[in-house]
Amino acid sequence: MTGVRLSLLTRERIFGVVLLVPCFLFVAVFAFYPILYSFYLSLHRIILGLPRLGEPFVGLTNYRDLLHDRIALHALGNTFAFVFISTFFEILLGLAIALVINRHFRGRGLVRAAILVPWAIPTVVSSQMWRFIFNDKYGLLNFLLYGSQTSSYVAWLADPAYAFTAIVAADVWKTSSFAGLLILAGLQVIPDELYDAARIDGASAWQQFLRITLPLIRPALLVALLFRTMDAFRVFDLVFVMTQGGPADSTNVLQFYGYKKIFAEGLMGYGSTISVLVFLVTFVVSLLYIRVVGRRFLQEMG
Amino acid sequence: MKRVITRLAFYTVTGVVVFMSLLPFLWFLDTSLKTELEITAIPPVLLPSGTLHFYRSAIERYDLLHFVRNSAIVAGATTVATILISSFAGYALARLRIRYKGLIMGALLLVSMFPQISIAGPVWRIMQSLGWLNSYQGLIIPYVTLTLPLGVWILTSFFNELPRELEKAARVDGCSHMQTLFRIMVPIAAPGVFTAAILVFIYAWNEFFFALLIMTQKRFQTLPVGIALFQGEYTLPWGEIAAASTVATVPLVLLVFLFQRRIVRGLSAGAVKG
């Protein structure tokens, strides 16, 4: 230790910044910059197939068009319906799953692994699986409902009401287990003594659930809820594989519509308004989330 | 008597949940081993003849192994890069006295929440101007970006749990920060590093949206894109789809059964899904 040296704290800070640089670069260049860039694109008319038209600035024209785009508004409605309905069932089923596996029994590890399978499967694969189960000619669902009476078989994915339900069902199947595991993490920190004390006081199982379990897993429930909400907003794979947004746009959702506008129709400018819209909607929800989880995390770090 | 009933209810519910979780996968596995006739039979055939016909066809006519290779390259490289970068960041956030930790963690969480569409157009344009559409790095870079929040959150929380004495001892013995990180911290945090690696790998192996945009040529497409775009001449080639899906899923099912405890811990430690 000789010569003029920076203080220990300063050196530690410099080292910390150096360690964070790679992470910062990726996130800044490929996540935050694109968000701003999307906004820039949405103010221009850019058509991928027609580069000669240039990329003129058109102000808020694209946003005005968006307000009059019936399919876009329909997709917005579908997205919200999808988010609310699927999240509701996922949390409910997730809670049930968590309550069931939160006890010691032989083979608990195997049960947990089995429950993780839907979460681990690629969404494209599970979409194909459900598409096959919903198949109108030899799908498993038709057989379970109507047996060998092929004349009664229903083309589930070709009917607007059924198709939307099918997408929700496939999503609920895929993600309830994930919600369940997040809730389970909350259940496992409740000390057994609380239940023992309640039993001695003569509380019924239902009372114990309402007065002890539910209040104590509220943070975990909230985390699971917000996670599922954010994830449901970006539903894409299911729609792409199972219905392509149809029939009659009944399963068209924002992320799929934006993809179609930008990449299938080449409307980079107009499509970007949808990108911005989706971002703003989820930004509000995620701020809420960060307030909840972020604070807890900071407390843990002391 | 009451205890018998509760136990019975418990086993029934557990059984149903397990059965429902596995059913679609098992049904596809079953389908992949059938013949063309057995697939379309009504009532459905439960026990397939066990032919590997569709696997052969998926490999010969649909280039299945090619998709597997691309997926392995992209997911493998993403995992290595993300884990390396997140180890740096996680160590800094868990152990060093730096400012704005909360802000950094919050910003990362925000990234993990982005719907892909909100950055899709720009990312595509960046990759196009770099000439990286239809290249491995063109997909690996967005994947690393999107899995970093997951990696950093998990590793930060694992590093946080390690005892500080070891590091102090290492520092007293004259180890530099870099040596402390790689000689002491990473080895003891190996379970955490491994957990994060599994989760990042699963994300990259399964991702579809960016793969669809960036890889427009079949030569570079990954398994999910291949499986989503399987087309027959007149009807959907369900046998080949089922075979390819099984190939895409089996590694994940193995990971889940081998490491379920770690995965659950990782998910609840980071409480972040990339």
Side-chain angles (χ1 to χ4, degrees):
Chain A
M1 294 279 191
T2 51
V4 184
R5 308 206 58 161
L6 295 166
S7 77
L8 267 178
L9 180 61
T10 313
R11 275 195 295 157
E12 195 171 316
R13 284 208 173 124
I14 292 173
F15 182 61
V17 170
V18 169
L19 286 181
L20 284 167
V21 163
C23 179
F24 173 79
L25 279 180
F26 268 96
V27 170
V29 177
F30 295 101
F32 285 115
Y33 168 64
I35 292 285
L36 299 175
Y37 196 3
S38 273
F39 184 64
Y40 167 89
L41 291 173
S42 72
L43 301 176
H44 294 73
R45 178 177 300 121
I46 302 166
I47 301 170
L48 286 179
L50 303 168
R52 289 220 185 143
L53 293 182
E55 305 186 347
F57 177 78
V58 293
L60 295 174
T61 314
N62 286 331
Y63 287 92
R64 209 164 40 226
D65 291 347
L66 182 68
L67 286 179
H68 298 223
D69 183 343
R70 286 202 181 169
I71 302 179
L73 296 178
H74 192 54
L76 180 70
N78 282 343
T79 307
F80 273 103
F82 179 84
V83 168
F84 282 119
I85 300 172
S86 61
T87 307
F88 174 78
F89 283 107
E90 281 153 20
I91 296 299
L92 208 64
L93 273 176
L95 181 61
I97 292 174
L99 288 171
V100 167
I101 53 178
N102 183 34
R103 51 164 102 186
H104 298 280
F105 57 90
R106 281 177 70 172
R108 186 166 81 150
L110 285 179
V111 168
R112 235 175 7 186
I115 290 173
L116 270 173
V117 166
W119 165 83
I121 284 181
T123 315
V124 166
V125 168
S126 71
S127 308
Q128 291 282 29
M129 286 175 186
W130 284 101
R131 189 179 175 207
F132 186 56
I133 287 172
F134 287 122
N135 186 286
D136 57 334
K137 294 201 188 67
Y138 32 82
L140 197 55
L141 181 66
N142 269 323
F143 177 75
L144 290 177
L145 290 176
Y146 305 110
S148 299
Q149 266 188 300
T150 47
S151 56
S152 331
Y153 279 17
V154 178
W156 304 104
L157 297 178
D159 179 297
Y162 288 139
F164 187 79
T165 314
I167 302 273
V168 170
D171 194 64
V172 169
W173 175 80
K174 177 127 183 36
T175 53
S176 295
S177 53
F178 176 75
L181 290 171
L182 290 185
I183 297 170
L184 182 65
L187 277 178
Q188 282 172 337
V189 295
I190 303 177
D192 287 338
E193 291 79 22
L194 281 179
Y195 292 106
D196 296 339
R199 251 193 306 273
I200 292 167
D201 290 345
S204 69
W206 178 242
Q207 282 173 322
Q208 288 175 30
F209 175 74
L210 279 186
R211 298 282 167 80
I212 300 174
T213 315
L214 218 46
L216 286 176
I217 57 166
R218 229 184 53 178
L221 270 179
L222 206 56
V223 170
L225 182 71
L226 285 158
F227 259 120
R228 288 309 317 141
T229 311
M230 303 303 301
D231 204 38
F233 267 113
R234 48 186 163 200
V235 54
F236 177 82
D237 307 13
L238 279 170
V239 172
F240 186 96
V241 172
M242 287 174 72
T243 61
Q244 286 281 323
D249 286 309
S250 58
T251 57
N252 206 343
V253 287
L254 284 175
Q255 176 133 319
F256 183 74
Y257 189 60
Y259 159 81
K260 251 173 88 172
K261 283 289 158 195
I262 298 179
F263 295 100
E265 298 176 26
L267 302 175
M268 182 69 85
Y270 179 64
S272 294
T273 58
I274 298 161
S275 307
V276 173
L277 174 71
V278 175
F279 172 72
L280 290 178
V281 170
T282 45
F283 184 67
V284 173
V285 185
S286 58
L287 278 187
L288 186 72
Y289 176 78
I290 288 168
R291 277 189 56 161
V292 175
V293 180
R295 192 180 300 148
R296 211 181 53 176
F297 178 79
L298 287 179
Q299 279 166 359
E300 271 170 26
M301 294 217 314
Chain B
M1 188 60 198
K2 206 179 147 203
R3 272 190 62 185
V4 175
I5 292 173
T6 18
R7 283 192 85 165
L8 210 65
F10 166 73
Y11 283 114
T12 317
V13 173
T14 311
V16 169
V17 169
V18 169
F19 179 71
M20 281 307 294
S21 297
L22 296 177
L23 174 71
F25 169 63
L26 292 178
W27 186 238
F28 240 17
L29 176 66
D30 194 53
T31 302
S32 72
L33 298 170
K34 290 178 179 177
T35 63
E36 198 82 58
L37 273 178
E38 287 171 329
I39 285 185
T40 53
I42 292 169
V45 179
L46 268 187
L47 282 178
S49 26
T51 162
L52 292 177
H53 162 75
F54 285 123
Y55 287 88
R56 203 173 307 127
S57 164
I59 289 170
E60 283 166 9
R61 288 170 52 200
Y62 292 88
D63 269 338
L64 175 62
L65 295 183
H66 202 75
F67 295 128
V68 172
R69 187 170 153 261
N70 289 339
S71 273
I73 291 172
V74 171
T78 301
T79 308
V80 172
T82 297
I83 292 306
L84 194 68
I85 298 171
S86 331
S87 304
F88 291 150
Y91 177 68
L93 288 165
R95 279 300 201 262
L96 301 180
R97 286 169 288 175
I98 45 171
R99 288 178 222 188
Y100 308 119
K101 279 185 191 177
L103 190 70
I104 296 170
M105 297 304 276
L108 283 172
L109 202 56
L110 193 66
V111 171
S112 75
M113 300 273 170
F114 285 171
Q116 298 95 320
I117 187 70
S118 59
I119 57 170
V123 168
W124 186 85
R125 269 171 80 110
I126 294 171
M127 291 308 165
Q128 191 201 27
S129 63
L130 293 170
W132 285 353
L133 294 177
N134 291 303
S135 76
Y136 292 125
Q137 68 270 31
L139 194 53
I140 292 167
I141 288 171
Y143 282 5
V144 171
T145 310
L146 293 172
T147 50
L148 271 173
L150 178 78
V152 173
W153 270 75
I154 292 179
L155 288 175
T156 305
S157 95
F158 269 95
F159 282 142
N160 255 331
E161 285 169 22
L162 297 181
R164 283 171 185 270
E165 287 71 28
L166 280 167
E167 265 173 290
K168 274 193 198 134
R171 299 281 294 149
V172 169
D173 285 349
C175 278
S176 72
H177 273 298
M178 211 49 155
Q179 284 170 327
T180 317
L181 171 58
F182 280 102
R183 299 240 177 107
I184 313 286
M185 297 294 277
V186 169
I188 340 173
V193 173
F194 187 63
T195 303
I198 295 174
L199 294 180
V200 170
F201 181 85
I202 292 179
Y203 177 93
W205 182 264
N206 292 355
E207 208 280 344
F208 174 61
F209 186 78
F210 277 104
L212 184 67
L213 306 183
I214 306 281
M215 307 303 210
T216 50
Q217 293 168 8
K218 210 179 156 197
R219 211 152 66 83
F220 288 100
Q221 279 168 355
T222 53
L223 257 175
V225 180
I227 290 171
L229 300 180
F230 263 28
Q231 278 296 337
E233 237 170 295
Y234 303 106
T235 53
L236 278 167
W238 282 116
E240 283 88 351
I241 291 176
S245 297
T246 307
V247 169
T249 308
V250 162
L252 302 177
V253 171
L254 283 180
L255 277 180
V256 159
F257 273 89
L258 287 174
F259 303 115
Q260 47 89 11
R261 202 183 300 258
R262 290 227 166 112
I263 291 173
V264 172
R265 206 174 148 223
L267 286 175
S268 37
V272 173
K273 192 189 176 202

